[in-house]
Amino acid sequence: MRAGFFTLLALQAASAVLAAPTTTEEEQLANLAQLAFDQSKAELEDQTVTKRSGTCSWSNIKIRREWGSLSSTQKKSYIAAVKCLQSKPARTPSSVAPGAKTRFDDFVATHINQTMAIHYTGNFLSWHRYYVWMYEKALQEECGYTGTQPYWDWAKTAITGLENSPIFDGSDTSLSGNGAFIPNQGDIILGASSGLPPIYLPPGSGGGCVTSGPFKDMKVNLGPAALDAPGGVVVTNPDGPLAYNPRCLSRSLTDEVNKKYSNVTAILNLLLKSKTINDFQMTMQGVPGSGNIGVHGGGHYSLGGDPGRDVYTSPGDPVFYLHHSQIDRMWWTWQMLSPSSRIYSDSAIFGTNTFMNMPPSADTTLDDIIEFGYAASPPLRIGDLLTTLDGPFCYVYL
Ligand SMILES: *[C@@H]1O[C@H](CO)[C@@H](O)[C@H](O)[C@H]1NC(C)=O
Ligand SMILES: *[C@@H]1O[C@H](CO)[C@@H](O)[C@H](O)[C@H]1NC(C)=O
Ligand SMILES: [Cu+2]
């Protein structure tokens, strides 16, 4: 009953956000984020909600923040922890993935291994929620990081431009900047082999190795598996995606893609117009054939480069985790507008266990277990990963 009451409040507040004619879209989005924050607090403080089993409370809640809002010291400690993960030996046996050399690579290898079973599937959001959380936990427990996983607010970079943002400005408090500019690159052509109308994206303002910032000497060890390269070329390592293939981190920051697919309007539409979890996750990932790659594709392809444009190997760029933290923030915000149906019901998830149900597979259920190979454990039920306020989790976004 109480959950229903709060739901009503949240949805009324969301309508009020929309109806207010004087607010800008940026203000509307900030209001929605605040609403999700307040709703999370109300949920945790509501003693009558018995659906939760864990120990999460408002007094021990962790807050994930936007990269630009962190202090220089906080940014540097996050960067140092990522580099620490990249310096520790892999747990993945080399017989399983010869290219997995570091703890950071363990996460990449797991994502490559499961790609076809975790995108355009019923577990897309829960799998990536737990994945980012496991990565955050590895930074904390294996590398002494005391902060939380920051996120990339695409609405902000759509306005400032990527290279002017604190994430990509190339300073020692950024996650490194653009790749070296390579002129006359052809367009990126997505989905050319699928039989659907392809999507053309501009090649971006870089293309070569990252030249500045903390990750300029980083080695990408795994992949590519299916890298969308300029000119409509799809690059695959002939030795297999898990082979050892050390190369520089390359990027091609593409403001046009960020501005077109992940701007404030796109985000508001996603949050306010998606009525079901299927609408929400399809809009977010882009309905194939619709010409729209969604805010999820918008983030990945505005980063560009290798491994940025390879769905399989994309966690090999450290920005992946800021992007997917923002993806999770979108889901959390949308869930908090109607928790009773979007968290605590069978309609909280939708889909099957294969990419766009190809080949056809069983419906994803709340009792399905998701696992992370050698990257992290334990495997958990999807049903225990639907709220950030219970199960293994206890965090919100601000
Ligand atoms: C913002 O995003 C929406 C939805 O993707 C798109 O239709 C619109 O053209 C975008 N705005 C700009 C300025 O590109
Ligand atoms: C990939 O998944 C299979 C099946 O679960 C597993 O046996 C294998 O160890 C995994 N490989 C990696 C690199 O995680
Ligand atoms: Cu993914």
mmCIF file with all atom_site columns, all heavy atoms in Angstrom, residues 111 119 128 320 324, ligand 3:
data_model
loop_
_atom_site.group_PDB
_atom_site.id
_atom_site.type_symbol
_atom_site.label_atom_id
_atom_site.label_alt_id
_atom_site.label_comp_id
_atom_site.label_asym_id
_atom_site.label_entity_id
_atom_site.label_seq_id
_atom_site.pdbx_PDB_ins_code
_atom_site.Cartn_x
_atom_site.Cartn_y
_atom_site.Cartn_z
_atom_site.occupancy
_atom_site.B_iso_or_equiv
_atom_site.pdbx_formal_charge
_atom_site.auth_seq_id
_atom_site.auth_comp_id
_atom_site.auth_asym_id
_atom_site.auth_atom_id
_atom_site.pdbx_PDB_model_num
ATOM   1  N  N   . HIS A 1 111 ? 33.095 -9.787 -20.142 1.00 0.00 ? 111 HIS A N   1
ATOM   2  C  CA  . HIS A 1 111 ? 32.129 -9.092 -21.003 1.00 0.00 ? 111 HIS A CA  1
ATOM   3  C  C   . HIS A 1 111 ? 32.185 -9.630 -22.430 1.00 0.00 ? 111 HIS A C   1
ATOM   4  O  O   . HIS A 1 111 ? 31.151 -9.883 -23.058 1.00 0.00 ? 111 HIS A O   1
ATOM   5  C  CB  . HIS A 1 111 ? 32.393 -7.583 -20.962 1.00 0.00 ? 111 HIS A CB  1
ATOM   6  C  CG  . HIS A 1 111 ? 31.334 -6.764 -21.634 1.00 0.00 ? 111 HIS A CG  1
ATOM   7  N  ND1 . HIS A 1 111 ? 31.371 -6.449 -22.969 1.00 0.00 ? 111 HIS A ND1 1
ATOM   8  C  CD2 . HIS A 1 111 ? 30.202 -6.184 -21.144 1.00 0.00 ? 111 HIS A CD2 1
ATOM   9  C  CE1 . HIS A 1 111 ? 30.313 -5.697 -23.273 1.00 0.00 ? 111 HIS A CE1 1
ATOM   10 N  NE2 . HIS A 1 111 ? 29.579 -5.532 -22.187 1.00 0.00 ? 111 HIS A NE2 1
ATOM   11 N  N   . HIS A 1 119 ? 23.136 -8.327 -24.006 1.00 0.00 ? 119 HIS A N   1
ATOM   12 C  CA  . HIS A 1 119 ? 22.682 -7.103 -24.691 1.00 0.00 ? 119 HIS A CA  1
ATOM   13 C  C   . HIS A 1 119 ? 21.435 -7.445 -25.491 1.00 0.00 ? 119 HIS A C   1
ATOM   14 O  O   . HIS A 1 119 ? 21.368 -8.508 -26.099 1.00 0.00 ? 119 HIS A O   1
ATOM   15 C  CB  . HIS A 1 119 ? 23.772 -6.547 -25.622 1.00 0.00 ? 119 HIS A CB  1
ATOM   16 C  CG  . HIS A 1 119 ? 25.048 -6.231 -24.896 1.00 0.00 ? 119 HIS A CG  1
ATOM   17 N  ND1 . HIS A 1 119 ? 26.117 -7.086 -24.872 1.00 0.00 ? 119 HIS A ND1 1
ATOM   18 C  CD2 . HIS A 1 119 ? 25.394 -5.171 -24.138 1.00 0.00 ? 119 HIS A CD2 1
ATOM   19 C  CE1 . HIS A 1 119 ? 27.083 -6.556 -24.136 1.00 0.00 ? 119 HIS A CE1 1
ATOM   20 N  NE2 . HIS A 1 119 ? 26.676 -5.398 -23.666 1.00 0.00 ? 119 HIS A NE2 1
ATOM   21 N  N   . HIS A 1 128 ? 24.514 -5.519 -16.193 1.00 0.00 ? 128 HIS A N   1
ATOM   22 C  CA  . HIS A 1 128 ? 25.459 -4.395 -16.194 1.00 0.00 ? 128 HIS A CA  1
ATOM   23 C  C   . HIS A 1 128 ? 25.457 -3.644 -14.863 1.00 0.00 ? 128 HIS A C   1
ATOM   24 O  O   . HIS A 1 128 ? 26.482 -3.094 -14.463 1.00 0.00 ? 128 HIS A O   1
ATOM   25 C  CB  . HIS A 1 128 ? 25.204 -3.464 -17.380 1.00 0.00 ? 128 HIS A CB  1
ATOM   26 C  CG  . HIS A 1 128 ? 25.654 -4.035 -18.705 1.00 0.00 ? 128 HIS A CG  1
ATOM   27 N  ND1 . HIS A 1 128 ? 24.901 -4.935 -19.407 1.00 0.00 ? 128 HIS A ND1 1
ATOM   28 C  CD2 . HIS A 1 128 ? 26.805 -3.866 -19.418 1.00 0.00 ? 128 HIS A CD2 1
ATOM   29 C  CE1 . HIS A 1 128 ? 25.565 -5.293 -20.514 1.00 0.00 ? 128 HIS A CE1 1
ATOM   30 N  NE2 . HIS A 1 128 ? 26.718 -4.659 -20.545 1.00 0.00 ? 128 HIS A NE2 1
ATOM   31 N  N   . PHE A 1 320 ? 34.198 3.264  -20.012 1.00 0.00 ? 320 PHE A N   1
ATOM   32 C  CA  . PHE A 1 320 ? 33.043 2.362  -20.043 1.00 0.00 ? 320 PHE A CA  1
ATOM   33 C  C   . PHE A 1 320 ? 32.282 2.391  -18.725 1.00 0.00 ? 320 PHE A C   1
ATOM   34 O  O   . PHE A 1 320 ? 31.046 2.442  -18.687 1.00 0.00 ? 320 PHE A O   1
ATOM   35 C  CB  . PHE A 1 320 ? 33.507 0.927  -20.327 1.00 0.00 ? 320 PHE A CB  1
ATOM   36 C  CG  . PHE A 1 320 ? 32.411 -0.105 -20.275 1.00 0.00 ? 320 PHE A CG  1
ATOM   37 C  CD1 . PHE A 1 320 ? 31.767 -0.523 -21.428 1.00 0.00 ? 320 PHE A CD1 1
ATOM   38 C  CD2 . PHE A 1 320 ? 32.018 -0.668 -19.060 1.00 0.00 ? 320 PHE A CD2 1
ATOM   39 C  CE1 . PHE A 1 320 ? 30.759 -1.474 -21.367 1.00 0.00 ? 320 PHE A CE1 1
ATOM   40 C  CE2 . PHE A 1 320 ? 31.012 -1.620 -18.995 1.00 0.00 ? 320 PHE A CE2 1
ATOM   41 C  CZ  . PHE A 1 320 ? 30.379 -2.025 -20.150 1.00 0.00 ? 320 PHE A CZ  1
ATOM   42 N  N   . HIS A 1 324 ? 28.430 3.265  -18.115 1.00 0.00 ? 324 HIS A N   1
ATOM   43 C  CA  . HIS A 1 324 ? 27.427 2.307  -17.626 1.00 0.00 ? 324 HIS A CA  1
ATOM   44 C  C   . HIS A 1 324 ? 26.908 2.650  -16.232 1.00 0.00 ? 324 HIS A C   1
ATOM   45 O  O   . HIS A 1 324 ? 25.830 2.198  -15.845 1.00 0.00 ? 324 HIS A O   1
ATOM   46 C  CB  . HIS A 1 324 ? 27.915 0.868  -17.756 1.00 0.00 ? 324 HIS A CB  1
ATOM   47 C  CG  . HIS A 1 324 ? 27.421 0.276  -19.036 1.00 0.00 ? 324 HIS A CG  1
ATOM   48 N  ND1 . HIS A 1 324 ? 26.162 -0.256 -19.172 1.00 0.00 ? 324 HIS A ND1 1
ATOM   49 C  CD2 . HIS A 1 324 ? 27.984 0.230  -20.267 1.00 0.00 ? 324 HIS A CD2 1
ATOM   50 C  CE1 . HIS A 1 324 ? 25.970 -0.633 -20.419 1.00 0.00 ? 324 HIS A CE1 1
ATOM   51 N  NE2 . HIS A 1 324 ? 27.059 -0.356 -21.114 1.00 0.00 ? 324 HIS A NE2 1
HETATM 52 CU CU  . CU  B 2 .   ? 27.814 -4.379 -22.252 1.00 0.00 ? 3   CU  B CU  1
#
